Amino acid sequence: MIEIELDGKKVDIAEGSTVMHAAEKAGTFIPHFCYHKKLSIAANCRMCLVDIEKMPKPMPACATPVTQGMVVHTKTDKAIKAQQSVMEFLLINHPLDCPICDQGGECQLQDIAVGYGGSASRYHEEKRVVSPKDVGPLISMQEMTRCIHCTRCVRFGQEIAGVMELGMPHRGEHSQIETFVGNSVDSELSGNMIDICPVGALTSKPFRYSARTWELSRRKSVSPHDSTGANLIVQVKNNCVMRVVPLENESVNECWIADRDRFSYEALNSSERLTEPMIKQGGQWKSVNWQSALEYVANGLKQIRSEFGSASLGALVSPHSTLEELHLSVELMKGLGTSSIDYRLRNAEFPAHEGVRYLGMPIASLSNLQSVLVIGSNLRKDHPLFAQRIRQAVRKGCVLTAIGSGQEDWAIPVFSRIQVSAEQWVRTLASVASAVALEKACTSPTPVEATESAIVIARALLAGEQKAILLGNGAAHHAQASSLLALTQWIADQTGASFGYLTEAANTVGAQLVGAIPAKGASHAGDMLAGALKAVLLLNTEPEFDGVWSKKTLDAMSRAKMVVSMNPFKANMQFCDVVLPVSPFTETSGTFVNAEGLVQSFHAVVQPLGETRPAWKVLRVLANMLEVSGFDYNSSQDVLKSITGLQFGERVHVAGEKLSNRTSATIDLNSHAEAPVVASLYQLDGIVRRAPSLQLTSDARSVKSQEVTA
């Protein structure tokens, strides 16, 4: 540690730190624009000039390393005059359009100008003007004249997103931020550029001109999409979600969120919302009140159970549902005498779980890995924030290897990638196991020759101390998922690596914890999607999009005696008999369990739309009508307490079980598995699928064009 003096106070700071770091530790504010704690040092705005004794001129705090005994002054006339001079230069060409700027009220330049700017300008020449640019449906670059060339957006793309989509060509007054050759900004993390822009140059295109920042109420929430469990601030006006931005949580999402977390809110206000219960009569949909709808469902289920038995009933539930909703669904099915309930609509194999399939390590540890093998995942698109952390680890020297079917661009340097068809994944991983056995002079669990590329991966896993083997969505949905898991566990045991699943959805881990999988002999998701049941309850699922098949699923569901859809949207209406409007995550309280097993509870941020009701309440009333005992809950907090004994709002880990032990007997090298079903970036769940701006992105359009071609 080094001791310096900052404004008369002694500060201990690590060697190699800068004056800015020391000021942050001491709680001293130094004005700045280009500096950001997650980005590299640029030192191009010069706003952070400070007075350092024995130095002839003010120095930038962000780029000046501390030395033993250094004496720094941030409030002397020398420092303040330097900062005021820099502010004067910054404002020479800045437009005076604060009243119409979307950044007004939360603009860093605006705030600092109050303290360091002059009341009038000495410059009377014409201001320079920068032409607007169209870079896609998410980011607006209509007012690039406001840009102060801090290059935060450029560095974010290069260092965090892994794709340098913006740059700053030319010099002097001709410099401007722009894309290369008129390209669009297509990163799945691009919205973070809006947050880090210190002026109104980059703004949100969907939010643009819809509200003033001081009109918005700010409420905490948790992302309902992938398994990161990103912490959100949902901004609300007139009971309507207007904007979503990140809530900083260093151990989960740091200060970033993915674009689907940020922009999917558009679906919540769309015409696709279901706002009242409806029953299909004579092929026509008729709006009814809740009492009539629930009585219709209860009577129908009783009749079908009486005629065909309890085994004819079942539920397909979404892993994007809350822990409380999933638990009550399980208890309702048990109360009706069946355990046919499943969340694994995209799986091709349905083993009985002997443990919780989760990440097996803290999310924050991904940033510090020294070696990692990723199996069956399009890492960048499936888990943008996990990919971002692994990207940082690779920048620090981590060796990234991969086994998969595609040659996807992860925007990360991959040391070695084995690209084979899905049916060859098990044999390829078995080859890696043989390579590990060869390196360690032990017995391999499979009689497969170690290829040269497998030996490269094995040696990478045997090196270093912090290492992991991560199974992606493709591996989880694979027809030989158990074989992949068995081999992964053996390799991890031999190499000292941790292992686990990246897990697909916001509550995949939670669904396992509450037992949303069928007991032995009951119908699993594959059976239900094939038409094994007479009555099916759908909770937040759309089998046509969330399942393994589409046409087959529609036919199978149409043959059922009764299909009940509980969904925030007008979904499943082709084959359903009853549709019940239930609340999305913004209109209900609940809990998600992320990939590492972290329990995160949240409150509703707006009132339910129309006749929409929280799904846990609907399930409680339906259970009462069906005379199922144990459903006397008054709040979602009571439901949560009955599951885990937790209090609402507690942030603890509950996924303490390890993945089930596997043996070589479970490894099948000869099966011919088809390619696993994996949802694309903006098709993951019903909310994302209905967000207009996200569906206009290049990622969404490329998927649609592939579907048309197919």
Side-chain angles (χ1 to χ4, degrees), residues 615-658:
W616 72 266
K617 287 187 177 182
V618 176
L619 290 164
R620 179 195 64 188
V621 175
L622 184 58
N624 292 335
M625 287 183 170
L626 289 165
E627 300 175 351
V628 177
S629 61
F631 277 76
D632 302 322
Y633 301 108
N634 294 318
S635 66
S636 64
Q637 290 92 324
D638 292 342
V639 182
L640 178 64
K641 193 172 181 179
S642 73
I643 305 169
T644 61
L646 297 174
Q647 295 296 325
F648 190 86
E650 281 190 275
R651 295 171 50 79
V652 298
H653 289 82
V654 296
E657 298 178 79
K658 288 191 174 181

Side-chain angles (χ1 to χ4, degrees), residues 225 260 316-320 342-350 382 473-479 481 503-506 508 524-526 529 540-549 553 674-686 688-689:
H225 304 305
R260 64 182 166 204
L316 290 169
V317 295
S318 169
H320 300 278
D342 211 339
Y343 73 92
R344 302 166 297 177
L345 276 74
R346 295 190 176 106
N347 283 31
E349 184 192 58
F350 302 93
D382 292 347
N473 295 349
H477 302 164
H478 201 277
T503 71
E504 181 181 42
T508 299
H524 54 64
L529 292 171
N540 289 321
T541 62
E542 297 175 69
E544 183 181 359
F545 304 106
D546 296 331
V548 177
W549 311 287
T553 297
E674 296 180 359
V677 176
V678 179
S680 58
L681 180 62
Y682 298 131
Q683 294 293 320
L684 183 62
D685 58 75
V688 168
R689 284 194 287 266

